[in-house]
Amino acid sequence: MEIIDGKGLANTIKEEIAKEVLEIKQNKGKIPHLAAVLIGDDPASASYVRNKVRSCDQCGFQSTLIRKDETTTEAALLDIIQGLNEDPDIDGFIVQLPLPKHINEEKVTLAIDPKKDVDGFHPMNFGRMALGLPSYLPATPFGIVQMLDRYGIETSGKHCVVVGRSNIVGTPMSILLSRKAKVGNCTVTLTHSRTNDLSAETKRADILIAAIGIPNFISSDMVKEGVVIIDVGINRVDAPEHKRGYKLVGDVDYDAVAPLASHITPVPGGVGPMTVTSLLLNTLKASRKEVYG
Ligand code: GUN
């Protein structure tokens, strides 16, 4: 069994990005500039955004954090988005989700200029991804593709089972792995809450991607021996013995499943760090105008 070290791989990729930024600086080019908008004070979202800003610093990117309180109106957020769309210095930006309930996430996503949508959430980028055209790939699926690639895990002809059909992970993941591409050519089964006999489906997986947000959901009797396990879950569970009072666990019962797997991603330190790397790569693409010219 090999542990897929997402944290280490993300650091390697960040060093590669930092070298590219250094070259841009030496050639007097424009330094990539990412902006992040955070509304409210959800602790998990605040921590993710801090991490994104810190990663920008590590790579030599410019970053701007726009932080507003929970009571910010939808109209005010749309104004901020319009400002970022029109600001020539901002190459790409993200609006951290989830948003407070009084703000319509769909409206917000549609307001972002697809050219600056480095999260890859706008329907234009989602559609381009589905058609195999140049696009910004959503961070988590893109991070997983990079992991499979760099660890030399064969995907062609393999049966991949995705558990969870969210717009930002499960559904785009199923599309990416079924595409005709270096990391792709899988036969994909996309499972969800209405799937009959989920265990019969997951047991057929050569590659199992767990993205349902339920702690330790995938048990050892749901997988076959030799499976590649990609655990997208980042669940906070109570742990009074920890200083913070909680610990992070994935959607996979790691201790029980790891002995059966050929490869497995840990939580934390697996998929999570790779998502930030994807965002940086998308921002680099945006500053080079590689997607839309
Ligand atoms: N919330 C959880 N994941 C993400 C992400 O990749 N991007 C944004 N903007 N919000 C998120």
Side-chain angles (χ1 to χ4, degrees), residues 49-50 56 123 176 256 273 282 293:
V49 170
R50 261 198 312 275
C56 281
L176 279 180
N282 280 344

Side-chain angles (χ1 to χ4, degrees), residues 52 94-97 119 121 139 168:
K52 289 170 185 178
I94 62 154
V95 177
Q96 187 67 25
L97 304 178
D119 258 332
F121 291 171
I168 64 175

Side-chain angles (χ1 to χ4, degrees), residues 13-23 58-60:
I13 296 173
K14 278 193 231 171
E15 280 165 20
E16 293 169 8
I17 297 171
K19 273 192 198 141
E20 296 203 32
V21 175
L22 204 60
E23 266 177 41
Q58 283 170 357
C59 293

Side-chain angles (χ1 to χ4, degrees), residues 205-280:
D206 301 310
I207 301 170
L208 180 68
I209 301 187
I212 31 161
I214 303 176
N216 301 318
F217 181 78
I218 302 291
S219 56
S220 58
D221 56 358
M222 291 173 77
V223 301
K224 71 175 179 193
E225 210 163 333
V227 64
V228 174
I229 298 276
I230 307 290
D231 190 350
V232 180
I234 302 178
N235 306 294
R236 287 187 178 198
V237 297
D238 289 341
E241 72 278 15
H242 280 65
K243 207 168 60 190
R244 292 174 302 190
Y246 69 88
K247 64 175 179 173
L248 297 178
V249 301
D251 290 349
V252 176
D253 182 355
Y254 185 91
D255 291 340
V257 171
L260 295 167
S262 68
H263 297 78
I264 188 165
T265 62
V267 177
V271 174
M274 294 297 296
T275 64
V276 181
T277 313
S278 302
L279 183 63
L280 298 170

